[in-house]
Amino acid sequence: MNTLNVGDRAMPSVGLGTWKIERTEAARVVRNALELGYRHIDSAADYGNEVETGEGINAALTSGAVLRDDLWVTSKLWNTYHRKEHVRAACERSLKDLQLEYLDLYLIHFPIASPFVPFDERYPPEWVQPGHDAMVLEPVPLQETWHAMESLVEAGLVREIGVCNYNTGLLHDLMAYAKIKPANLQVESHPFLTQSNLLRTAQSYGLPVTAFSPLGALSYVSLDMATDADTVLTARPVVEAASRVGRTPAQVVLRWGVQRGTAIIPKTTQPERLKENLALFDFELTNDEMTAISDLNVNRRFNDPADFCEAAFGRFHSIYD
C-alpha cells in the first residue's frame, strides 16, 4: 500500500475514517476493513465509537488478520481536555477504549478549548457542557496543550503527535514553540476545497497532510450541512476521468487526493465500497485531469464551526477567516 512518511514512520495513505459509523456497526466495519487490507484506522474520542472500534481492532489482531506493528491508529484530543492536567487522562481513556498500548498518532481535534467535563459525568463530552444551553469556551493557550501532547510522546503513550483544523497562522505559531514538531496536519480537503496555500505551507515545513471528508458533501448530507446538489461526483472533469480510466467517480476523486500527495480517510460501512476505496493505485490521472479537478475549487468548506456552532450549539465561533 502507498504510504506517507509521518515522523520516522510510514503511514498508509488510505485509511478508514470512523466518524459517523454507528456504534452498532463499528466493530464489524473496522474488523472487515482490516481483513480487506486496511492498515490505517482514524478515530476520535468525540466520535463516540472508540470502544467498538477497539473491539474491531482487537478481533482482527486476535485472528491474525493484522499485526500491531503493521497497523496505524490515529485518535484525537477533544476540546474539553486542552488543559495540561487533562491531556494524559484523555489519551489514556482512548487507549483503554481502543484496547491499545500506544497510539501511532494523536491529534488536537480542534483549536478550540472548552471547560473540562469529567469522564463519569458524560463521555464523550460533546460540544455543549452539562448544565449549559450553549457552547462555552475556556481560554487555554494552544501552546499549553501542545506541550502536554509532547509529554505523551516522552511517556511512550503515542508515537507521533499532530493537529487538526489548523490554519496557516496557527501552523506558523506552532512551529515556533514546538519542541517536538507536529508529524501530521489533518484538514478538510476535496476538489471543492483544495486548500492549496495551506498544503504548500505544510509542505514547506515538511509536514504531511491527511484530508478528511475527501469526497466532500457525502459526509454532510445526512447532517443537513450539505445537499445532494453539492456533490463533486457529477462534475464534468470527474465524470470524464472516470470514463477514461474505467473507475467510479468516487475512486477518481480519492485518486486525485492521494495523487496530489495527501493521505485520505474516507468513511463507508459497505464492503464493496471498502474495497473500492483501497483500489486506487493501479491507475493514474493525467496532469490535465488533475488540473481540471483542482480547478473545481470554490473554497466550499462543509465542516466550519462558524456555520454549525451557532446553529447547533448556540454560540458563534469562527476559526477560519
Side-chain angles (χ1 to χ4, degrees):
M1 180 180 292
N2 193 43
T3 61
L4 290 183
N5 290 327
V6 173
D8 295 328
R9 304 174 62 221
M11 181 180 76
S13 57
V14 179
L16 172 68
T18 59
W19 180 46
K20 297 201 308 154
I21 297 181
E22 296 293 335
R23 292 178 61 185
T24 54
E25 295 186 284
R28 172 188 61 81
V29 172
V30 169
R31 179 175 183 173
N32 191 16
L34 294 174
E35 290 175 344
L36 288 171
Y38 282 78
R39 295 295 180 263
H40 176 180
I41 303 295
D42 183 85
S43 183
D46 184 58
Y47 300 165
N49 57 12
E50 286 203 315
V51 168
E52 294 76 17
T53 296
E55 291 171 356
I57 292 172
N58 186 59
L61 291 170
T62 300
S63 72
V66 62
L67 300 176
R68 179 64 184 96
D69 288 347
D70 296 330
L71 179 60
W72 185 284
V73 181
T74 297
S75 187
K76 307 177 187 74
L77 178 79
W78 187 240
N79 306 343
T80 47
Y81 307 127
H82 275 216
R83 288 209 175 274
K84 60 184 178 182
E85 61 265 29
H86 301 310
V87 170
R88 179 164 180 157
C91 178
E92 288 176 339
R93 175 60 187 258
S94 282
L95 286 170
K96 176 184 175 183
D97 288 349
L98 292 167
Q99 302 183 48
L100 297 173
E101 295 183 355
Y102 66 89
L103 291 168
D104 300 274
L105 178 64
Y106 198 46
L107 305 172
I108 296 176
H109 203 150
F110 279 95
I112 299 172
S114 299
F116 175 67
V117 177
F119 296 151
D120 59 1
E121 187 170 349
R122 188 173 70 199
Y123 190 88
E126 304 175 6
W127 285 86
V128 177
Q129 280 61 42
H132 292 267
D133 295 327
M135 184 175 75
V136 179
L137 301 178
E138 187 170 15
V140 183
L142 289 170
Q143 183 171 354
E144 174 182 325
T145 307
W146 185 257
H147 288 326
M149 295 280 284
E150 292 172 329
S151 71
L152 301 178
V153 179
E154 294 162 355
L157 296 176
V158 305
R159 298 291 175 85
E160 307 290 348
I161 51 177
V163 292
C164 291
N165 299 299
Y166 270 42
N167 58 31
T168 53
L170 291 179
L171 272 188
H172 292 313
D173 193 48
L174 172 59
M175 291 298 184
Y177 60 71
K179 297 175 183 176
I180 298 177
K181 301 299 183 185
N184 192 243
L185 167 68
Q186 187 177 125
V187 292
E188 178 183 348
S189 189
H190 42 76
F192 286 164
L193 182 69
T194 56
Q195 303 242 56
S196 296
N197 287 347
L198 180 58
L199 266 61
R200 287 188 65 184
T201 300
Q203 184 180 30
S204 73
Y205 285 119
L207 179 60
V209 174
T210 298
F212 70 77
S213 302
L215 293 171
L218 287 182
S219 298
Y220 301 95
V221 172
S222 64
L223 301 175
D224 294 326
M225 295 166 67
T227 70
D228 291 332
D230 293 315
T231 182
V232 70
L233 301 184
T234 56
R236 177 177 291 181
V238 173
V239 173
E240 290 179 349
S243 176
R244 183 187 69 81
V245 298
R247 299 302 177 100
T248 67
Q251 286 176 301
V252 166
V253 172
L254 295 178
R255 175 66 201 187
W256 171 86
V258 296
Q259 195 165 320
R260 72 197 293 248
T262 66
I264 56 172
I265 45 172
K267 168 258 178 184
T268 185
T269 61
Q270 302 174 36
E272 288 307 311
R273 293 286 175 81
L274 285 170
K275 294 177 185 177
E276 283 185 8
N277 291 350
L278 273 186
L280 307 177
F281 302 104
D282 57 352
F283 72 98
E284 289 187 3
L285 301 177
T286 67
N287 290 337
D288 287 345
E289 288 168 339
M290 289 291 294
T291 299
I293 294 171
S294 295
D295 285 345
L296 294 171
N297 179 58
V298 289
N299 297 319
R300 176 67 164 95
R301 190 186 304 276
F302 295 102
N303 195 331
D304 189 345
D307 293 332
F308 67 74
C309 278
E310 186 170 25
F313 309 124
R315 177 169 185 151
F316 175 76
H317 190 68
S318 178
I319 60 175
Y320 309 112
D321 296 332

